[in-house]
Amino acid sequence: MSKHRPKSLSELVSARNSPLGQLAARAGLRSDLSNHMRSQLPAELADGLVHCNCREDGTLVITAASPAWASRLRFETPQLLAICRDAGVQAERIKVRVTG
Protein backbone atom coordinates (compact mmCIF):
# COMPACT_ATOMS: atom_id res chain seq x y z
CA MET A 1 0.00 0.00 0.00
CA SER A 2 1.32 3.45 -0.90
CA LYS A 3 2.10 6.00 1.79
CA HIS A 4 1.21 8.85 -0.56
CA ARG A 5 -2.29 10.23 -0.39
CA PRO A 6 -4.01 11.45 -3.55
CA LYS A 7 -3.65 15.19 -4.13
CA SER A 8 -6.71 17.36 -4.10
CA LEU A 9 -7.67 19.29 -7.21
CA SER A 10 -6.83 22.57 -5.48
CA GLU A 11 -3.31 21.29 -4.75
CA LEU A 12 -2.83 20.32 -8.39
CA VAL A 13 -4.10 23.67 -9.69
CA SER A 14 -2.09 25.76 -7.25
CA ALA A 15 1.20 23.94 -7.96
CA ARG A 16 2.97 26.25 -10.44
CA ASN A 17 5.30 23.52 -11.70
CA SER A 18 2.49 21.11 -12.59
CA PRO A 19 0.92 21.12 -16.06
CA LEU A 20 -2.47 21.87 -14.52
CA GLY A 21 -0.99 24.70 -12.46
CA GLN A 22 0.63 26.20 -15.56
CA LEU A 23 -2.67 25.95 -17.43
CA ALA A 24 -4.48 27.68 -14.56
CA ALA A 25 -1.86 30.46 -14.51
CA ARG A 26 -2.22 31.06 -18.27
CA ALA A 27 -6.01 31.12 -17.95
CA GLY A 28 -5.70 33.68 -15.16
CA LEU A 29 -3.48 35.91 -17.29
CA ARG A 30 -5.97 35.74 -20.16
CA SER A 31 -8.82 36.59 -17.85
CA ASP A 32 -6.85 39.53 -16.41
CA LEU A 33 -6.12 40.84 -19.92
CA SER A 34 -9.78 40.54 -20.94
CA ASN A 35 -10.91 42.38 -17.81
CA HIS A 36 -8.31 45.11 -18.34
CA MET A 37 -9.34 45.58 -21.97
CA ARG A 38 -13.03 45.83 -21.02
CA SER A 39 -12.31 48.31 -18.22
CA GLN A 40 -10.39 50.61 -20.58
CA LEU A 41 -12.93 50.60 -23.41
CA PRO A 42 -15.99 52.84 -23.51
CA ALA A 43 -19.01 50.99 -22.12
CA GLU A 44 -20.67 50.81 -25.53
CA LEU A 45 -17.69 48.80 -26.86
CA ALA A 46 -16.81 46.82 -23.74
CA ASP A 47 -20.12 44.96 -23.90
CA GLY A 48 -19.10 43.37 -27.21
CA LEU A 49 -15.73 42.03 -26.04
CA VAL A 50 -16.17 38.52 -24.67
CA HIS A 51 -12.54 37.44 -24.29
CA CYS A 52 -9.07 38.24 -25.55
CA ASN A 53 -5.69 36.59 -25.64
CA CYS A 54 -2.29 37.53 -27.01
CA ARG A 55 -0.48 34.80 -28.93
CA GLU A 56 3.27 34.38 -28.87
CA ASP A 57 3.48 35.75 -32.43
CA GLY A 58 2.11 39.12 -31.25
CA THR A 59 -1.47 38.62 -32.44
CA LEU A 60 -4.17 39.88 -30.10
CA VAL A 61 -7.14 37.55 -30.60
CA ILE A 62 -10.42 39.13 -29.55
CA THR A 63 -13.62 37.15 -29.26
CA ALA A 64 -16.68 39.28 -29.99
CA ALA A 65 -20.25 38.61 -28.95
CA SER A 66 -21.66 38.86 -32.49
CA PRO A 67 -20.64 39.73 -36.05
CA ALA A 68 -21.86 43.29 -35.49
CA TRP A 69 -19.65 43.63 -32.40
CA ALA A 70 -16.74 42.14 -34.33
CA SER A 71 -17.05 44.85 -36.98
CA ARG A 72 -17.24 47.60 -34.38
CA LEU A 73 -14.20 46.25 -32.53
CA ARG A 74 -12.16 45.96 -35.76
CA PHE A 75 -12.61 49.70 -36.29
CA GLU A 76 -10.99 50.26 -32.88
CA THR A 77 -7.77 48.37 -33.72
CA PRO A 78 -5.37 51.24 -32.84
CA GLN A 79 -7.10 51.85 -29.50
CA LEU A 80 -7.21 48.12 -28.69
CA LEU A 81 -3.50 47.72 -29.42
CA ALA A 82 -2.69 50.76 -27.26
CA ILE A 83 -4.73 49.39 -24.34
CA CYS A 84 -3.01 46.04 -24.72
CA ARG A 85 0.44 47.65 -24.67
CA ASP A 86 -0.53 49.68 -21.59
CA ALA A 87 -1.16 46.35 -19.89
CA GLY A 88 2.39 45.27 -20.76
CA VAL A 89 1.38 42.93 -23.56
CA GLN A 90 3.17 43.53 -26.85
CA ALA A 91 0.57 42.95 -29.53
CA GLU A 92 1.27 43.96 -33.12
CA ARG A 93 -1.94 42.98 -34.89
CA ILE A 94 -5.50 41.99 -34.09
CA LYS A 95 -7.67 39.10 -35.15
CA VAL A 96 -11.34 39.33 -34.21
CA ARG A 97 -13.44 36.19 -33.93
CA VAL A 98 -17.10 35.71 -33.13
CA THR A 99 -18.32 33.39 -30.39
CA GLY A 100 -19.88 30.17 -31.61
Side-chain angles (χ1 to χ4, degrees):
M1 197 173 201
S2 175
K3 294 181 182 181
H4 300 289
R5 65 172 181 79
K7 291 186 178 182
S8 69
L9 184 56
S10 64
E11 287 176 307
L12 292 171
V13 170
S14 64
R16 292 277 182 197
N17 59 347
S18 75
L20 193 53
Q22 292 171 1
L23 180 64
R26 286 194 308 268
L29 291 174
R30 289 176 181 174
S31 179
D32 291 346
L33 179 60
S34 297
N35 291 335
H36 175 74
M37 296 289 285
R38 273 193 234 71
S39 73
Q40 299 300 307
L41 285 171
E44 63 271 7
L45 286 175
D47 291 341
L49 191 147
V50 175
H51 182 74
C52 62
N53 175 41
C54 192
R55 294 180 181 164
E56 290 181 13
D57 69 355
T59 303
L60 177 65
V61 180
I62 294 177
T63 305
S66 70
W69 280 115
S71 294
R72 290 181 69 185
L73 288 166
R74 280 186 195 100
F75 282 113
E76 300 299 326
T77 294
Q79 181 182 3
L80 293 168
L81 289 173
I83 292 169
C84 193
R85 289 183 190 123
D86 287 343
V89 177
Q90 296 304 311
E92 299 170 13
R93 63 194 144 286
I94 290 183
K95 181 172 189 169
V96 181
R97 295 185 170 177
V98 178
T99 59

